[in-house]
Amino acid sequence: MADAGAAAVKPAWPGDKRAIVNSPANITDPLVLFMPSGKRGRFPVGTPVLDAARQLGVYVESVCGGRATCGRCQIEVQEGNFAKHKIVSSNDHISPKGAKEERYERVRGLPERRRLSCSAQILGDLVIDVPQDTVINAQTIRKDADTRVIARDAAIRMCYVEIEEPDMHKPLGDLDRLKIALMKDWGFKNLEFDFYLMPQVQGILRKGNWTATAAIHKDAESDIARVIALWPGLKNEAYGLACDIGSTTIAMHLVSLLSGRVAASSGTSNPQIRFGEDLMSRVSYVMMNPDGREGMTVAVREAISGLVDKVCAEGNVQRNDILDSVFVGNPIMHHLFLGIDPTELGGAPFALAVSGAVRIKASDIGLKLNQGARLYMLPCIAGHVGADAAAVTLSEGPHRQDEMMLIVDVGTNAEIVLGNRTRVVAASSPTGPAFEGAEISGGQRAAPGAIERVRIDPDTLEPKYRVIGSELWSDEPGFLDSVQATGVTGICGSGIIEIVAEMYLAGIISEDGVVDGSLAARSPRVTANGRTFSYVLKEGEPKITITQTDVRAIQLAKAALYAGTKLLMEKQNTEHVDRIHFAGAFGSFIDPKYAMVLGLIPDCDLDKVSAVGNAAGAGARMALLNRGYRREIEVTVSHIEKIETALEPKFQEHFVYAMALPNKVDPFPKLSAAVKLPPRKTVSEDGVAGDAAPRRRSREGHAARRSRE
């Protein structure tokens, strides 16, 4: 009784685009939501959780065939009131441990709060978390560091000195003689020591035979220099962390502070997803659950600690050798990481608790690195444009050049920066999780087996596709063998953008996004779905279909992003942009042509549209390796003008026009020169096609027509 592909559907709550079975026969059955996939459905009381997961297409591994012996099907029940989903989840809503599960726990051990989904049965509404450490084909976190060379002037300096030995005639303390040596040899004028080092100094100096290496932290020019760590003899390496805390994924780089070399990179899903897919639902969770803030803070800090273990293992580095760290994130991630209640960010005036740069000891938030390690967070631009957008701005540098540059970081909450050395403006647009597959019937996050590329023959309407984990197209020999290990499981963000754009280019949907039902006579790919029509991308199990509801979800997301961009262009008094940069892991896999066909971004030369990868992570590395970049972005952020889209009267108008593909009124001459756009046609909501007037090419023409009317 899963929701995917069901014929009789209706939203689970107002505004939800995902379908859910809700027939009279099962309306009282418990509702089960699986995270982080976001898939859900209603199931009879007594259904094993593993069976429910399989019916929904949620990957939960089980080698033993449900005998409760392999332990690979572990899940966790999330407790609390999940208002967005209208679910109150509790451990009372799952069956107690039975004999098999108790035997497994007794013999093999079961982590706290974990259950075996093959044995646990559904008794009531549940939010189920599938721990990523139990998933073989878990989400692909594609946030590697770029290869840019960053000039080094780190806030941490490693300083080797030889100290004068004690003398009966010079009763100066060991620490004071160490301080004199450091000031004499390295030119420090005002030097202090972290208190924890004072009891250790004498032992370290004697172990090093009166030689030592001090790690000295000095950030801003006016700061007092502080000795934060000390080793006997020569210590010729030190490391730092650069971490981008995204609402969906967390990316971390372990970097040598001396050479600038990236020793290791790793990423993971943000565990806060189980509290809410988008940012506002997480704020809502905090508001409705007294321990909600603490729970999300603990979750993200634990995930970050796990990433530290991973990068240290990969880079063969000890935690004690990590002396500095730079973190970035959107305002809500920023606040939750620091342990700050984000409730004020949930409504106007979207007040930040702290907007400037944050400088603390890593131990202040329980991050176990070197005992003296420091932590720096870039400043936030505004209530919904955070330190991650500041890091992207630092990385791409629109404020350093003359061209009008548009930077788009596509996520559940898209952040947009537009400007040049004269002026920079920024905004955020609530695109929602549609681009990540959460509101799409066959959607999923990027993982092996997910469709990421799509092409449709405009004559036959037959599709072909590529999936993550295979280099072959679906119509090439050997494709089935190449995906045998994973199967074809769904469609991820880049594939969703391409399938909708290809459906438009092939004439399957009109510029208004309506599936043309008359094409059902031409191709069995176009099928009736109640009063609307759908397009079948893949037959078999699982059957992957793009429904009218799916297309609408993508239109809503892309219209919000484009409308935000248009507002910024108006603020800059410009009709065009010279260059477009897609930031973020998702942006790295968006084909610029299809993004423009969809109307996700404004018209621009396609060769000047590029993906810049994890630019937020790159900005964090820049701030880690060069304290001058910290000063630069602090000054730059103070001059960036934030545009609050929710308060702009023209946002709705731009949004309505942007619902069309690529846009109802804005011209796309550069795109038209590179891609043959289909002739305009209208299709009624029931799929009946008709003629349409020529595409309106300018806002001026639209205004003239309105005046004539």
Side-chain angles (χ1 to χ4, degrees), residues 16 67 139 185 215 230 251 270 273 355 374 399 609-610 626 661 692 703:
D16 183 23
R67 296 180 178 85
Q139 178 182 356
D185 292 354
L230 189 68
N270 189 329
I273 288 174
S355 57
R374 265 37 184 188
H399 56 289
V609 183
S610 59
N626 193 316
L661 281 69

Side-chain angles (χ1 to χ4, degrees), residues 390-560:
V392 171
T393 302
L394 176 63
S395 170
E396 302 311 302
H399 56 289
R400 303 187 200 110
Q401 42 90 56
D402 295 319
E403 287 187 313
M404 185 61 69
M405 178 189 290
L406 173 66
I407 305 171
V408 181
D409 192 342
V410 184
T412 54
N413 189 66
E415 293 173 321
I416 319 162
V417 178
L418 177 68
N420 53 25
R421 68 174 73 252
T422 302
R423 184 187 184 201
V424 179
V425 294
S428 63
S429 281
T431 54
F435 288 132
E436 295 172 342
E439 294 186 344
I440 307 302
S441 57
Q444 67 168 84
R445 302 195 190 279
I451 295 172
E452 62 174 346
R453 294 281 178 260
V454 180
R455 300 292 182 269
I456 297 176
D457 187 310
D459 297 320
T460 64
L461 305 186
E462 284 297 304
K464 63 178 181 179
Y465 49 83
R466 276 176 50 183
V467 303
I468 297 174
S470 173
E471 296 299 316
L472 299 177
W473 287 89
S474 59
D475 61 345
E476 292 182 307
F479 170 77
L480 291 178
D481 291 337
S482 72
V483 299
Q484 187 172 10
T486 62
V488 181
T489 56
I491 183 166
C492 68
S494 59
I496 290 166
I497 287 176
E498 292 196 7
I499 182 63
V500 176
E502 279 281 313
M503 288 171 69
Y504 170 63
L505 293 176
I508 297 171
I509 60 175
S510 67
E511 71 163 14
D512 292 323
V514 180
V515 181
D516 186 352
S518 67
L519 296 177
R522 274 181 53 192
S523 170
R525 295 280 177 181
V526 179
T527 62
N529 185 6
R531 294 190 302 170
T532 61
F533 289 82
S534 301
Y535 178 78
V536 179
L537 175 59
K538 174 190 171 294
E539 295 281 8
E541 285 295 328
K543 184 176 183 179
I544 301 174
T545 301
I546 306 301
T547 68
Q548 184 65 70
T549 300
D550 296 337
V551 176
R552 282 284 180 261
I554 294 300
Q555 286 179 279
L556 290 167
K558 74 98 175 180

Side-chain angles (χ1 to χ4, degrees), residues 80-84 87-88 281-293 343:
N81 184 350
F82 297 81
K84 176 179 176 181
I87 293 177
V88 176
S281 62
R282 294 182 201 177
V283 174
S284 175
Y285 186 86
V286 171
M287 295 170 67
M288 300 189 69
N289 295 274
D291 58 350
R293 195 280 306 157
T343 300

Side-chain angles (χ1 to χ4, degrees), residues 262-281:
V262 177
S265 297
S266 188
T268 187
S269 296
N270 189 329
Q272 293 175 345
I273 288 174
R274 63 177 176 254
F275 299 99
E277 293 161 355
D278 57 72
L279 296 175
M280 286 302 100
S281 62

Side-chain angles (χ1 to χ4, degrees), residues 532-601:
T532 61
F533 289 82
S534 301
Y535 178 78
V536 179
L537 175 59
K538 174 190 171 294
E539 295 281 8
E541 285 295 328
K543 184 176 183 179
I544 301 174
T545 301
I546 306 301
T547 68
Q548 184 65 70
T549 300
D550 296 337
V551 176
R552 282 284 180 261
I554 294 300
Q555 286 179 279
L556 290 167
K558 74 98 175 180
L561 178 54
Y562 190 90
T565 301
K566 284 293 292 183
L567 285 176
L568 296 191
M569 292 174 67
E570 288 182 349
K571 296 296 180 181
Q572 290 280 25
N573 195 28
T574 183
E575 293 287 336
H576 71 282
V577 296
D578 299 311
R579 189 173 295 276
I580 300 175
H581 287 183
F582 275 116
F586 179 39
S588 299
F589 296 89
I590 296 176
D591 187 311
K593 178 181 76 173
Y594 288 106
M596 205 173 292
V597 169
L598 190 66
L600 191 67
I601 52 177

Side-chain angles (χ1 to χ4, degrees), residues 154-161 178 182 186 188 191-194 196-197 204 212-219 224-240 257-258 320-324 370-374:
I156 301 291
R157 294 181 68 182
M158 300 293 282
C159 301
Y160 172 80
V161 288
L178 170 61
L182 288 167
W186 293 92
F188 293 106
L191 195 61
E192 295 186 357
F193 282 71
D194 274 5
Y196 87 93
L197 287 171
I204 291 172
T213 302
I216 299 180
H217 177 265
K218 189 171 187 291
D219 193 350
I224 295 171
R226 296 190 68 88
V227 177
I228 65 169
L230 189 68
W231 293 266
L234 176 65
K235 175 76 172 177
N236 59 4
E237 191 56 285
Y239 292 89
L257 296 177
L258 303 185
N320 193 56
D321 289 336
I322 301 175
L323 301 174
D324 202 6
N370 185 285
Q371 191 172 347
R374 265 37 184 188

